[in-house]
Amino acid sequence: MNVYPGVRLVLTDPMPVGAVETARKQLSLAAEDLDANRVAALVVEVADEWGTAALWEQVCVPMLAALPGHTAIEVAVEHALAEGVRVGLDVFRRVPGRPLPTGGVLLAGAEQETHCLGLHALAAALRERSRGSLLLGPALPWTALASAARRVRPRTVVLWAQTPVTGRAYRLVRFARDFPAIRVYGAGPGWIEPLGAPATRLSTLPAAVTACAAPPSPPVPRRSCLP
């Protein structure tokens, strides 16, 4: 599972090398035991101590990218690790019965995209800053994304694509042009084609958090038809 191949990692507060090695070793052992619950618990522990960005970019991304996934047991280990990471990110800083306001942020996986762990990391990082989001999960059809945008009227949409098969730049640009009041971003390694304006590509978790936390853009004044 190549999560961010070729993307430079940018961190605000990087973890010490020793802490990274310890976290990776503990997560590897839990995944090899196919213990997704233990993986989730470790994810929460590391995020609590070092922050979501450091956990994701220094621990989770390199581990997921390094898994070969060739043999049957390797595939099982990969699934245990990915599922544990997803669960850990989802429960991090989440208080049952006290949802955070979405802040006008809508997150979803592109049509036919079955992987969107990066969006779970983004949602956790936003909660870490007492901000919420509306995460609609993977494989959201373009028509459903448009309907969701009309219903909830977000100010920011982040769409995840894992592979070039799902990262259809022209569709994202078309969506951005259909909804000019929304800031539209593509995240994940699937957006290999340049994203033309008004859509923008996000390459790191800190950049995505900054984009989602940005204040609303001022409305464009209408030009008067009067002389």
Side-chain angles (χ1 to χ4, degrees), residues 47-68:
D48 269 330
E49 184 170 1
W50 300 107
T52 309
L55 161 74
W56 177 246
E57 296 195 330
Q58 287 188 267
V59 179
C60 297
V61 169
M63 289 187 65
L64 291 166
L67 290 174

Side-chain angles (χ1 to χ4, degrees), residues 187-214:
W191 307 105
I192 60 173
E193 297 179 12
L195 294 182
T200 305
R201 188 173 187 267
L202 298 170
S203 298
T204 67
L205 181 56
V209 172
T210 299
C212 291

Side-chain angles (χ1 to χ4, degrees), residues 167-211:
R168 298 177 179 177
Y170 76 96
R171 295 297 303 267
L172 188 65
V173 173
R174 182 191 304 173
F175 173 82
R177 290 173 179 170
D178 288 343
F179 294 89
I182 300 176
R183 292 181 299 214
V184 178
Y185 299 96
W191 307 105
I192 60 173
E193 297 179 12
L195 294 182
T200 305
R201 188 173 187 267
L202 298 170
S203 298
T204 67
L205 181 56
V209 172
T210 299

Side-chain angles (χ1 to χ4, degrees), residues 81-132:
L81 178 61
E83 177 63 9
V85 169
R86 183 192 65 79
V87 172
L89 291 170
D90 282 349
V91 301
F92 178 66
R93 299 290 171 88
R94 189 187 295 275
V95 180
R98 291 172 53 190
L100 293 169
T102 63
V105 176
L106 190 154
L107 313 175
E111 187 174 72
Q112 299 183 348
E113 179 54 72
T114 58
H115 298 287
C116 62
L117 268 181
L119 293 183
H120 292 272
L122 176 54
L126 289 171
R127 288 196 303 274
E128 191 174 29
R129 291 155 179 78
S130 299
R131 295 176 179 270

